[in-house]
Amino acid sequence: MFETVILHDLSIGYATKGNEKVVATQLNAAINRGELTCLLGQNGIGKSTLLRTLSAFQPALGGEISMCDLTSEHSPLTSFSDKQLSRMIGVVLTEKPDVQNMTVTELVGMGRSPYTGFWGTLDDDDHRIVTESIRLVGIESLQSRMVHTLSDGERQKVMIAKALAQQTPVIYLDEPTAFLDFPSKVEMMQLLHRLATQEQKTIFLSTHDVELALQIADRLWLMEPQQLYVGTPQELASEGVLSRFIERDGITFDANSLTIHVTR
């Protein structure tokens, strides 16, 4: 079981027609089992590119991403087949699923596709896993609802349940709190932290909700030009990294309480 993701001198970007557009280089960090890790950074800094590279949706330009198991054995991400990756990494994107005439239970059941073969027929064990995934996210009352009738927050929970049904040790999420009202944002982040700690998942997400990340995340990755800062919120605050990222005219950051203040 591979549970820790390790970046070693990773370079990310795009290769088109013989040219490379480098987004970030020399990225060294680890995403740990049982922790909620949040990726912060300004728009356009490369957060989505990093997530796509970690998910094997696009190749790295250099360096290596490896998966590490409990025996500390490292295996490069490139050594795994697509089928193997589908059992190791679950991905929840910001885009709303374009599905019609499908219930919540049916959509969550699609998370079993890496195990069900060509016909996608679920057996008793698959149905048990789908039911448990729905329970873990707390959406039992939605099981029979049609997906297109759900609110944004409900739909996002369904997609997380689908990722849980995939039974991957690693789950990546791209802006999971986008389009949600504030109470729903808090609930979503609390849910992800609970899944990381109680289910011992390796959960990594990008977010613009800095204040929530400061309060709920176990570890932060802060992308800046030519640099990736990694640490707990308290560590990055004490090092002055968060102040440089957050503070602007009229915006101050209290490193002791990890709070952001806006002046009028």
Side-chain angles (χ1 to χ4, degrees):
M1 177 70 74
F2 294 96
E3 295 166 321
T4 302
V5 183
I6 298 174
L7 283 59
H8 179 68
D9 291 340
L10 183 69
S11 295
I12 60 173
Y14 305 89
T16 57
K17 298 181 179 179
N19 296 318
E20 285 188 349
K21 178 184 178 182
V22 179
V23 173
T25 62
Q26 299 296 304
L27 302 179
N28 293 279
I31 312 171
N32 299 315
R33 174 180 184 247
E35 291 184 349
L36 176 63
T37 303
C38 290
L39 173 65
L40 306 176
Q42 301 290 347
N43 286 334
I45 198 69
K47 298 190 301 296
S48 294
T49 304
L50 176 55
L51 266 174
R52 286 195 294 270
T53 307
L54 289 171
S55 305
F57 291 167
Q58 69 183 63
L61 297 182
E64 185 176 84
I65 303 167
S66 61
M67 310 293 286
C68 180
D69 62 18
L70 290 175
T71 67
S72 298
E73 179 181 346
H74 291 225
S75 299
L77 197 65
T78 52
S79 68
F80 298 104
S81 67
D82 288 344
K83 183 175 182 179
Q84 288 173 317
L85 287 172
S86 71
R87 297 187 178 194
M88 292 165 47
I89 299 172
V91 181
V92 179
L93 301 175
T94 306
E95 291 81 7
K96 299 176 183 178
D98 184 18
V99 296
Q100 298 290 331
N101 301 318
M102 182 178 288
T103 67
V104 165
T105 298
E106 289 169 339
L107 181 55
V108 174
M110 292 180 66
R112 298 302 300 157
S113 59
Y115 310 91
T116 56
F118 179 78
W119 297 108
T121 303
L122 275 61
D123 60 21
D124 289 344
D125 192 48
D126 294 316
H127 285 295
R128 178 188 59 77
I129 292 167
V130 168
T131 299
E132 175 64 9
S133 300
I134 288 172
R135 185 195 66 79
L136 284 171
V137 181
I139 54 173
E140 294 95 331
S141 63
L142 304 179
Q143 292 181 80
S144 300
R145 287 270 300 276
M146 304 303 289
V147 173
H148 69 273
T149 69
L150 302 176
S151 69
D152 289 336
E154 290 170 337
R155 190 182 300 109
Q156 195 71 297
K157 288 181 181 178
V158 172
M159 298 308 294
I160 292 171
K162 176 176 175 285
L164 289 174
Q166 198 174 332
Q167 288 193 308
T168 59
V170 178
I171 300 176
Y172 297 139
L173 304 100
D174 184 17
E175 294 286 345
T177 56
F179 314 121
L180 303 184
D181 57 36
F182 186 74
S184 297
K185 288 175 185 284
V186 175
E187 184 182 7
M188 180 63 62
M189 292 290 281
Q190 290 172 329
L191 167 64
L192 293 170
H193 187 267
R194 185 170 71 249
L195 292 173
T197 55
Q198 295 182 4
E199 302 302 315
Q200 286 297 287
K201 297 286 187 180
T202 304
I203 299 184
F204 180 82
L205 64 90
S206 64
T207 184
H208 283 106
D209 291 310
V210 178
E211 287 183 286
L212 283 181
L214 291 175
Q215 295 178 59
I216 298 176
D218 297 298
R219 196 167 300 273
L220 299 177
W221 289 18
L222 176 57
M223 287 188 74
E224 291 194 347
Q226 313 303 320
Q227 185 70 47
L228 175 65
Y229 297 96
V230 177
T232 66
Q234 293 80 7
E235 289 169 346
L236 296 190
S238 65
E239 292 167 7
V241 173
L242 289 174
S243 294
R244 292 196 302 271
F245 172 64
I246 294 169
E247 291 189 338
R248 301 287 188 277
D249 287 342
I251 304 174
T252 59
F253 174 66
D254 187 321
N256 293 318
S257 62
L258 299 178
T259 53
I260 299 171
H261 302 280
V262 179
T263 59
R264 289 187 290 178

